[in-house]
Amino acid sequence: MAEEKISRISREIYENVGGTENVNKLIHCMTRVRMTIIDDSKVNFEGLKAIDGVMGVVEDETLQVVVGPGTVNKVAQKMVETVGVRLGETFPHAGEQSIDDLMAQTKAQAKEKYNKPSKFKAILNTISKIFVPLIPAFVGAGLIGGLASVLGNLVTSGTLDAGTWMQFITVLKIIQAGIFYYLALYVGMNAAQEFGATPALGGVIGAVSLLTGMNPEAPLKNIFNGSALAAGQGGIIGVIFAVWLLSIVEKQLRKVIPDAIDIIVTPTLALLVIGTIEIFLIMPIAGVISTSLVGAINTVLQIGGGFSGFVLGALFLPMVMFGLHQILTPIHLEMIAKTGSTQLLPILAMAGGGQVGAAIALWIRLRKDKEFVARVKGALPVGILGIGEPLIYGVTLPLGRPFVTACIGGGIGGAIIGGFGHVGSIAIGPSGAALLPLIAHGKWWVYLLGLLGAYIGGFIATYAFGIPKDIKEKADHYGETVEVETIQPTLHVAPTAEFETATISSPLTGQVKTLSEIEDEVFSSGMLGDGIAIEPTSGQVVSPVDGTVSSVFPTKHAIGITSDEGVEILIHIGMDTVSLNGDGFENFVQQNDRVTKGMLIARVDLDKLKAAGFSTITPVVITNTGDYKKVSTAAHHEIKQGDLLLTIER
């Protein structure tokens, strides 16, 4: 279907439901766009039905506009993209928001245009978005699983009676498995949502990694070495990569598949192509990596001592992240069969201890960020009991550096156990405190010492070196306006002086532009008020009026001035320059300072802004435009500081 048709249908639906401001949420099913309407009286039902491409309208708890299979997903996606949200998210409504909220709403769009984050940070941010919605399930199921592990280990050690406790333990393990055994499905669905693919298809791709339909007696082979593929090989990271490929294939197919058969052909081809790639490429590659890692681990074990303990303890978290730790199970079983215990498991368990220490350090250093602290509080008890996924995917990995320092903590704990030597577990069980009952030959105190070493090592490494600067600044200003592109509404006052026409001089020298030329909807649409924009050729900024400074932003990129006549003027230097956190800006005034026309109020390094990829276009906006009859542009093309810029008619 031609893109212009999709755009037209989307636009006309909005026009007939009272605009985007009359829609609270939007989702779709196989044939219908479903909208939660705020005020039904604003909906033009006859107009909706008359739209070319609309097959019908259904009035229910949600307003349902029928556009047919194959078309509905494209129309719905276009509609949510128009307002900058995703399917199912609440629409932002300009009429209900403060100016702070309006600017925060557009920050993401402006950031895409002007701020170029590193690809590594973008990947970590994506991982965070995929796993954060799963944290409540991680915490609940993890605590239940942790309790099952402690009880199971006590039964194995003979402390508890198996006949009395095993059935209860089994129930707990079944509940725990609901999230952890089928984690690939949940991750697949969330990843699809993040990448713009169909969530159900993402879930199927996640399930493919479990090889559920494979005959164990005739397993699929690793094309690289001929070994049998194992369920879960490739891990969660492999699932995310496969779903990312799915999103690309699905979007391309929808561009070429006719709408009449889209619902049949697109998901079939997408699953067939990506499922095959996942089985025969992604999973085998992970198998090759796992084989290499196991070989490296065996080599390190032969070296022995604290060095081996450090290397193994530090490397285990990356193995968990890639789902490669499952390959170690045969090694554990072989060691137990030959020696009565596995000396590898206690060392590897230290990786979880490093996570715990890192999380506590993050809690302390970022304690002002209440949302983040709540996430840590939920994941910590589970981590202490040996369930590491919430801490890995919800806390340390999304931040990048703390994941590395947590690995260092795990290495320190492993070095302690490796240094003492001969610390083994009589059975395979979860790590953390839950493993204590399984430690053989009374060496539980060495294991506990190693665990404490991992806690302390992870804490110190993270506290000192593991806090990213931008994350710390965000936490320090949590709840404040510095981290989002916000415009603080100045206290509105009625004009204080009688006048027929007020004049605003230019604060800058440069090229005059219209607001519509600004690539930022808040300014270009006149949402903040009428005015003009200047593409500066000089970094000197002077006051355009006699008046009082009403606001100076902490990031120095925007200044508000109220003239003696009561005209409220906003000078916003560049687009999304809040991201520079004041770098390149110098202010010479503070809030409530008295200023006169032509007085130097700020200086900006235009070259630095441009080198960083930011637009230097500077809007000069009358934020109380509604108080006046007309705001007129008095300048065109070139302008110098002090030249007449705007006229205000009372």
Side-chain angles (χ1 to χ4, degrees):
M1 172 174 290
E3 184 65 27
E4 51 268 21
K5 181 179 179 182
I6 297 296
S7 299
R8 177 187 58 77
I9 294 175
S10 304
R11 173 176 50 80
E12 292 181 0
I13 289 176
Y14 275 140
E15 290 174 354
N16 285 282
V17 298
T20 58
E21 62 272 15
N22 198 36
V23 179
N24 191 42
K25 291 183 180 179
L26 186 151
I27 58 174
H28 72 84
C29 58
M30 187 178 294
T31 60
R32 313 172 194 185
V33 176
R34 298 171 179 262
M35 291 170 283
T36 304
I37 299 298
I38 297 173
D39 185 353
D40 291 334
S41 67
K42 295 181 179 180
V43 179
N44 180 358
F45 291 98
E46 294 304 317
L48 278 175
K49 296 173 184 177
I51 295 174
D52 182 18
V54 171
M55 302 174 182
V57 178
V58 179
E59 298 180 59
D60 203 343
E61 292 183 2
T62 59
L63 177 63
Q64 303 169 23
V65 181
V66 184
V67 294
T71 302
V72 64
N73 57 318
K74 301 173 186 176
V75 170
Q77 188 62 37
K78 183 67 176 180
M79 292 180 72
V80 294
E81 286 176 354
T82 299
V83 292
V85 299
R86 287 185 285 186
L87 291 169
E89 290 184 345
T90 302
F91 279 33
H93 300 109
E96 299 173 2
Q97 291 178 301
S98 67
I99 297 178
D100 290 277
D101 296 331
L102 289 174
M103 292 302 292
Q105 170 191 331
T106 60
K107 176 175 172 57
Q109 296 175 347
K111 189 173 183 179
E112 288 180 3
K113 296 174 185 175
Y114 306 116
N115 189 19
K116 306 296 183 184
S118 69
K119 290 185 178 180
F120 179 67
K121 284 189 175 181
I123 292 172
L124 294 180
N125 186 48
T126 297
I127 291 175
S128 176
K129 290 179 180 178
I130 291 171
F131 285 98
V132 166
L134 295 174
I135 288 178
F138 275 147
V139 173
L143 286 173
I144 291 171
L147 177 59
S149 300
V150 172
L151 295 176
N153 291 349
L154 290 173
V155 168
T156 302
S157 65
T159 306
L160 295 179
D161 177 63
T164 304
W165 289 96
M166 280 309 298
Q167 189 167 9
F168 178 62
I169 294 171
T170 300
V171 171
L172 296 180
K173 288 184 175 180
I174 290 173
I175 298 173
Q176 175 201 15
I179 178 69
F180 292 106
Y181 186 82
Y182 299 104
L183 180 60
L185 279 75
Y186 302 113
V187 169
M189 297 181 73
N190 284 2
Q193 183 81 21
E194 180 65 23
F195 296 136
T198 302
L201 298 184
V204 174
I205 292 301
V208 166
S209 69
L210 301 179
L211 301 177
T212 307
M214 185 178 72
N215 181 359
E217 297 180 0
L220 295 173
K221 300 296 184 180
N222 185 321
I223 63 174
F224 294 98
N225 57 24
S227 63
L229 291 179
Q233 195 167 306
I236 296 304
I237 299 299
V239 171
I240 293 174
F241 180 71
V243 174
W244 174 69
L245 293 178
L246 170 75
S247 69
I248 296 174
V249 171
E250 185 180 0
K251 290 172 185 176
Q252 294 302 315
L253 286 174
R254 294 200 186 281
K255 291 180 180 179
V256 298
I257 301 299
D259 295 332
I261 58 173
D262 177 81
I263 190 63
I264 299 172
V265 175
T266 298
T268 303
L269 289 179
L271 289 178
L272 183 60
V273 170
I274 301 304
T276 302
I277 291 174
E278 183 176 12
I279 292 172
F280 290 105
L281 284 179
I282 297 175
M283 294 180 70
I285 289 173
V288 172
I289 295 173
S290 66
T291 301
S292 301
L293 282 175
V294 170
I297 286 173
N298 284 329
T299 301
V300 171
L301 276 174
Q302 292 172 5
I303 297 173
F307 173 76
S308 295
F310 180 86
V311 173
L312 294 173
L315 287 181
F316 189 58
L317 279 183
M319 291 192 69
V320 173
M321 184 181 70
F322 284 97
L324 307 179
H325 58 298
Q326 302 295 343
I327 200 69
L328 298 175
T329 300
I331 296 177
H332 291 313
L333 295 176
E334 183 69 15
M335 295 179 82
I336 292 171
K338 290 184 176 180
T339 67
S341 67
T342 167
Q343 296 182 26
L344 180 60
L345 182 58
I347 293 176
L348 299 182
M350 295 300 100
Q355 287 276 318
V356 170
I360 295 173
L362 289 167
W363 183 349
I364 294 174
R365 291 293 304 274
L366 306 179
R367 58 188 177 277
K368 293 183 180 180
D369 188 336
K370 304 303 181 184
E371 182 180 349
F372 180 80
V373 167
R375 192 187 309 169
V376 174
K377 286 181 179 179
L380 259 179
V382 182
I384 292 171
L385 290 174
I387 308 297
E389 285 86 350
L391 286 175
I392 294 174
Y393 296 116
V395 179
T396 61
L397 183 59
L399 299 183
R401 198 184 300 172
F403 181 78
V404 177
T405 53
C407 290
I408 293 173
I412 292 172
I416 293 173
I417 292 182
F420 277 93
H422 307 293
V423 180
S425 171
I426 62 174
I428 300 174
S431 58
L435 190 62
L436 277 168
L438 296 183
I439 300 302
H441 309 303
K443 292 292 188 70
W444 61 266
W445 63 272
V446 179
Y447 177 80
L448 181 60
L449 188 62
L451 199 58
L452 292 175
Y455 290 166
I456 296 170
F459 177 88
I460 294 175
T462 303
Y463 193 93
F465 310 108
I467 312 295
K469 181 180 178 181
D470 56 337
I471 300 299
K472 183 66 169 66
E473 290 178 351
K474 177 183 176 182
D476 289 343
H477 297 285
Y478 183 80
E480 300 178 12
T481 61
V482 68
E483 277 300 314
V484 294
E485 177 70 274
T486 59
I487 298 297
Q488 295 279 8
T490 56
L491 181 63
H492 178 73
V493 294
T496 57
E498 295 294 334
F499 64 89
E500 293 299 324
T501 302
T503 60
I504 308 298
S505 298
S506 177
L508 290 158
T509 296
Q511 297 281 336
V512 176
K513 306 284 186 180
T514 63
L515 290 182
S516 62
E517 295 179 75
I518 300 176
E519 295 185 25
D520 186 300
E521 185 180 358
V522 172
F523 289 110
S524 63
S525 65
M527 196 178 295
L528 293 177
D530 295 337
I532 198 68
I534 301 171
E535 188 72 60
T537 55
S538 169
Q540 304 282 345
V541 185
V542 300
S543 175
V545 293
D546 294 338
T548 303
V549 177
S550 51
S551 60
V552 177
F553 284 73
T555 49
K556 305 178 183 180
H557 72 291
I559 297 175
I561 297 175
T562 302
S563 75
D564 290 342
E565 294 88 358
V567 180
E568 297 172 4
I569 308 152
L570 170 68
I571 305 170
H572 191 285
I573 308 168
M575 291 292 104
D576 201 37
T577 44
V578 64
S579 304
L580 293 171
N581 291 316
D583 186 25
F585 294 91
E586 187 177 6
N587 289 158
F588 301 105
V589 292
Q590 297 179 354
Q591 188 171 356
N592 298 321
D593 281 357
R594 176 71 184 171
V595 292
T596 57
K597 187 171 73 171
M599 174 180 170
L600 182 65
I601 59 175
R603 183 183 293 118
V604 56
D605 187 337
L606 298 177
D607 291 336
K608 177 171 285 190
L609 266 62
K610 293 175 182 177
F614 293 91
S615 169
T616 60
I617 193 167
T618 299
V620 181
V621 177
I622 309 304
T623 57
N624 61 338
T625 295
D627 288 339
Y628 306 109
K629 179 179 179 181
K630 188 177 182 180
V631 176
S632 303
T633 301
H636 304 280
H637 309 302
E638 303 281 346
I639 196 168
K640 295 180 180 179
Q641 285 180 351
D643 289 351
L644 181 61
L645 183 67
L646 299 169
T647 58
I648 316 293
E649 295 182 28
R650 181 168 171 77

